[in-house]
Amino acid sequence: MKVVILAGGLGTRISEESHLKPKPMIEIGNSPILWHIMKSYSYYGYNEFIICCGYKGYLIKEYFADYYLHRSDITFDFSNNNDIIIHNNIAEPWKVTVIDTGLNTQTGGRVKRIQRFIGNEPFMLTYGDGVSDIDIKKLAEFHRSSGKTATITAIQPGGRFGVLEIDDSQSVTDFAEKSKEDGGWINAGFMVFEPEIFDYLEDDMTILERAPLETLAKRGRLTAYKHDGFWQCMDTMRDKVRLDKLIESGEAPWIRWQED
């Protein structure tokens, strides 16, 4: 199953860093948060990625073009025909497709633009600014067993996010406006879609979280995978500092790949 990562937004709420680079390329623990997200999926065996770029997307392309330079120790021997010697070459089992989906394209429009790279098969989708200790294999199994068109991961972080209404069967019945009340379920990303989702995406201005998901909810075709573990988006510098501190302390819950 392919993994689509939305990485094209402007990141205006963390402009201290996003004026220089796209938000997914902002580093936590000396690596872009995008890398952390990909390592999380790879830990569970999902290694084919489609990255939807927009704002300063060329920096994402350059990062992967020079990935071995970023991750390896290298000797540049200028005295011997400019030889380059790569030490402890780091190789990932990844296939990464980086697509320019437009500067001002909305989330649903970005997904619509990469339809030809998905084909007629289910796929995963998440945002390029959030990390979690979610068990992605269990998420995929939950989606398959639900028989629904779409599954979103629901968490309870407190206020300031849009709230989901979920019935006893874990079907999403509606989306509520943003609320400051604690205890509401919100969409944390880490979604799974059947290819029918493309039928709900019209053009570049389609916002995935509005009409497409709201329509699926009303039709009983959207379900929620409840996650009560760790989740954190990097929306502000305060969020970035918190994530950096977790890594520095050796207690970053999402870094599962170092357990083996």
Side-chain angles (χ1 to χ4, degrees), residues 142 146 148-155 162-176 185-189 191-193 208-210 212-226:
F142 176 86
S146 75
K148 301 294 179 71
T149 301
T151 297
I152 60 180
T153 294
I155 57 133
V163 178
L164 307 175
E165 294 182 8
I166 304 173
D167 64 19
D168 292 339
S169 68
Q170 299 193 53
S171 290
V172 178
T173 59
D174 202 0
F175 275 67
W185 293 94
I186 67 112
N187 177 10
M191 297 170 266
V192 189
F193 292 109
L208 177 66
E209 301 79 6
R210 298 282 178 83
L213 292 188
E214 289 172 353
T215 300
L216 286 172
K218 291 174 182 176
R219 294 179 179 178
R221 300 299 303 159
L222 178 63
T223 189
Y225 178 80
K226 292 182 177 180

Side-chain angles (χ1 to χ4, degrees), residues 10-16 18 23 160-161 178 235-237:
L10 297 176
T12 53
R13 281 183 283 190
I14 193 169
S15 59
E16 298 95 329
S18 64
K23 191 184 194 182
R160 85 182 179 93
F161 293 96
K178 287 189 175 182
D235 219 21
T236 65
M237 282 300 294

Side-chain angles (χ1 to χ4, degrees), residues 4 6-7 9-10 16 25 41 44-45 50 66 78-79 88 97 101 108 111 139 153 163 191 196 203 206 253:
V4 178
L6 295 172
L10 297 176
E16 298 95 329
M25 292 303 296
Y41 277 97
Y44 289 99
I50 300 171
D66 293 333
F78 300 113
S79 66
N88 64 302
T97 302
T101 54
V111 178
L139 167 65
T153 294
V163 178
M191 297 170 266
E196 299 95 89
D203 54 32
T206 300

